[in-house]
């Protein structure tokens, strides 16, 4: 297999570093790796045992590559990704800039890799919260039909990028001094003013991931619903989502209530869900710490809901891996496997 020249825009970020790790781990055939960042600091990245320099993004440099991964921000992708694809470069974008663009495929390879077409060089990877449900529920949707989904997410701080994680670390360092039962009373912590998140996240949870719209839904809640409809090709799927940020480092969890078009046994449901990893046994379930660093989507606590057609699931996966970096590498592998490059 011929080796490729590959670019990574946002190589110094949380997803960027995981992307480099998986390109190396999965032996993606690379002869030149071009790493870009904002250029505001002088950071390098490590790849295949070497320290690589990272440059400020430069379009003319980026277009020399055959594949460029965008793991930076909506603004950077909006400005450059389509232009780069128009130059014939394969562009795999992890931002939300083009996910709802009908001309841009939104791809989870286990679900809809046929959406990758030689004529469309820009491909979006989905929202990290949706990916777990997109994979876990796909066979139920395809074989039985899913009519309606209610979803609650428990999202790790790393989902909001490096600056949110830095907020979290400094809050924890500040709060830990108060973690004691003075005179037997549970401490009442001050709210404080985080720089990058809407509320403090240390010893807290809040039901806001992204800005709210005029109907009171957060951007994340809207993304999960619209992206799932696109990836599953289910425009009429009814969805109700509450997205919650929780004080974990990495690993998003979901409680999902799926109303199917007809009743099936729990055993049959578990069999269909097994395109993800089913954790069996009533007392076994994945947690953010358990799935950190893992490639799979894990599903457990498969049980009957409040009607014979409702199935309830607990889903967990690493938001930085299957929710972002690994999914992008799998898209690139599919492009290669099909000889499109
Ligand atoms: N975090 C997740 O779980 C997750 C999941 C799915 C998708 N995503 C998406 O993946 C992307 C990266 O997320 P992240 O969490 O890794 O963010 P992050 O940790 O904040 O990293 C952002 C990266 O973008 C770079 N950057 C910023 N401005 C730039 C510019 N003008 N030109 C070139 N590079 C620039 C940063 O470089 P510096 O080091 O110079 O600042 C850094 O490398 C986002 O689009 C996000 O929506 C994230």
């Amino acid at each position: 297999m011929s080796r490729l020249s590959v670019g990574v825009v946002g190589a110094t970020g949380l997803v960027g570093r995981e992307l480099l790790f998986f390109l190396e781990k999965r032996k993606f055939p690379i002869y030149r790796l071009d790493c870009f960042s904002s250029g505001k600091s002088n950071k390098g990245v490590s790849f295949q045992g070497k320290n690589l320099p990272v440059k400020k993004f430069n379009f003319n440099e980026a277009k020399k590559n055959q594949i460029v991964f965008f793991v930076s921000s909506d603004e950077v992708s909006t400005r450059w990704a389509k232009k780069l694809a128009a130059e014939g470069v394969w562009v795999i974008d992890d931002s939300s800039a083009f996910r709802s663009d009908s001309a841009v495929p939104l791809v989870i390879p286990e679900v809809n890799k046929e959406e990758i077409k030689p004529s469309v060089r820009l491909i979006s990877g989905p929202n990290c919260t949706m990916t777990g449900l997109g994979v876990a529920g796909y066979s139920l949707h395809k074989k039985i039909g899913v009519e309606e989904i209610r979803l609650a997410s428990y999202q790790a701080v790393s989902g909001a990028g490096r600056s949110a994680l830095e907020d979290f670390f400094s809050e924890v360092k500040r709060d830990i001094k108060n973690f004691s039962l003075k005179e037997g009373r549970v401490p009442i912590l001050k709210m404080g003013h985080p720089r990058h998140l809407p509320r403090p996240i240390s010893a807290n949870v809040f039901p806001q991931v992204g800005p709210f719209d005029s109907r009171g839904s957060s951007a994340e809640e809207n993304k999960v619903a619209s992206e799932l409809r696109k990836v599953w090709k289910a425009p009429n799927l009814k969805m109700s989502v509450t997205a919650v940020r929780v004080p974990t480092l990495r690993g998003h969890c979901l409680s999902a209530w799926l109303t199917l078009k007809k009743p099936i046994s729990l055993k049959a449901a578990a069999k269909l869900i097994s395109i993800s990893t089913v954790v069996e046994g009533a007392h076994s379930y994945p947690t953010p710490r358990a799935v950190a660093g893992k490639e799979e989507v894990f599903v457990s606590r498969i049980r009957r809901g409040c009607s014979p057609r409702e199935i309830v699931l607990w889903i967990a996966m690493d938001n930085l891996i299957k929710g972002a970096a690994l999914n992008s590498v799998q898209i690139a592998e599919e492009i290669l496997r099909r000889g499109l490059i």
Side-chain angles (χ1 to χ4, degrees):
M1 189 187 291
S2 60
R3 301 195 156 264
L4 306 173
S5 177
V6 173
V8 178
V9 183
T12 50
L14 301 184
V15 177
R17 305 232 179 215
E18 297 295 331
L19 187 79
L20 299 182
F21 177 83
F22 280 97
L23 287 171
E24 179 171 342
K25 183 179 175 202
R26 293 168 78 97
K27 299 187 170 45
F28 195 78
I30 295 177
Y31 79 85
R32 193 175 79 106
L33 186 64
D34 226 1
C35 292
F36 300 99
S37 71
S38 71
K40 285 184 195 141
S41 68
N42 222 352
K43 291 174 217 152
V45 290
S46 83
F47 186 69
Q48 295 177 339
K50 291 190 199 111
N51 228 333
L52 296 187
V54 180
K55 306 174 267 194
K56 183 176 176 188
F57 179 76
N58 174 311
F59 183 76
N60 289 326
E61 288 286 316
K63 78 177 187 194
K64 292 178 188 157
N65 295 294
Q66 289 149 293
I67 299 191
V68 172
F69 295 93
F70 275 77
V71 285
S72 173
S73 67
D74 286 356
E75 295 72 30
V76 172
S77 293
T78 303
R79 181 145 183 224
W80 300 113
K82 262 195 178 167
K83 281 190 189 157
L84 208 55
E87 297 280 340
V89 177
W90 281 98
V91 176
I92 302 171
D93 180 29
D94 250 318
S95 82
S96 58
F98 303 103
R99 291 180 191 149
S100 56
D101 183 332
S102 58
V104 178
L106 177 62
V107 175
I108 301 177
E110 295 89 328
V111 173
N112 64 343
K113 60 177 185 241
E114 71 285 352
E115 290 296 313
I116 300 171
K117 302 197 172 88
S119 54
V120 186
R121 296 273 159 133
L122 170 59
I123 299 167
S124 277
N127 171 281
C128 49
T129 308
M130 185 282 258
T131 306
L133 177 61
V135 173
Y138 179 61
S139 299
L140 285 171
H141 161 66
K142 204 169 155 200
K143 300 268 167 56
I144 309 295
V146 177
E147 199 170 272
E148 188 175 307
I149 299 176
R150 285 164 205 280
L151 190 76
S153 71
Y154 310 84
Q155 301 186 213
V157 182
S158 61
R162 191 179 56 212
S163 41
L165 209 51
E166 283 164 3
D167 268 2
F168 181 34
F169 292 155
S170 55
E171 285 172 18
V172 169
K173 281 182 199 144
R174 185 198 62 209
D175 285 346
I176 202 128
K177 296 177 199 135
N178 296 311
F179 285 178
S180 66
L181 292 177
K182 281 186 200 128
E183 295 165 19
R185 287 195 76 206
V186 177
I188 296 170
L189 302 170
K190 289 203 180 86
M191 280 300 282
H193 300 283
R195 289 199 315 147
H196 301 285
L197 290 167
R199 297 286 187 281
I201 188 62
S202 160
N204 210 9
V205 298
F206 50 81
Q208 181 181 4
V209 181
F212 291 118
D213 68 12
S214 57
R215 292 167 43 250
S217 294
S218 72
E220 185 82 347
E221 289 157 357
N222 290 329
K223 281 187 220 171
V224 170
S226 66
E227 292 181 25
L228 188 67
R229 291 186 190 112
K230 181 168 174 180
V231 169
W232 280 7
K233 295 193 188 73
N236 300 322
L237 179 67
K238 289 187 227 153
M239 273 200 88
S240 178
V241 185
T242 297
V244 179
R245 187 73 69 195
V246 299
T248 53
L249 295 179
R250 56 193 293 167
H252 287 359
C253 295
L254 305 170
S255 287
W257 293 261
L258 280 67
T259 304
L260 307 180
K261 292 200 169 142
K262 56 181 191 209
I264 57 166
S265 71
L266 292 178
K267 212 171 153 193
K271 206 167 165 203
L272 288 172
I273 290 164
S274 65
I275 70 164
S276 16
T277 301
V278 175
V279 179
E280 297 201 34
H283 303 285
S284 302
Y285 47 82
T287 63
R289 282 176 86 129
V291 304
K294 303 254 164 63
E295 298 183 14
E296 304 96 316
V297 171
F298 295 88
V299 185
S300 72
R301 304 203 59 213
I302 302 169
R303 67 214 140 96
R304 185 78 59 207
C306 63
S307 87
R309 289 193 289 130
E310 190 179 70
I311 301 278
V312 189
L313 309 175
W314 174 255
I315 302 166
M317 48 126 227
D318 191 317
N319 52 299
L320 298 169
I321 299 182
K322 185 57 196 165
L326 175 62
N327 196 70
S328 291
V329 174
Q330 289 171 319
I331 293 171
E333 288 171 345
E334 182 61 20
I335 293 170
L336 227 64
R337 195 188 64 75
R338 303 230 318 253
L340 301 178
I341 205 163

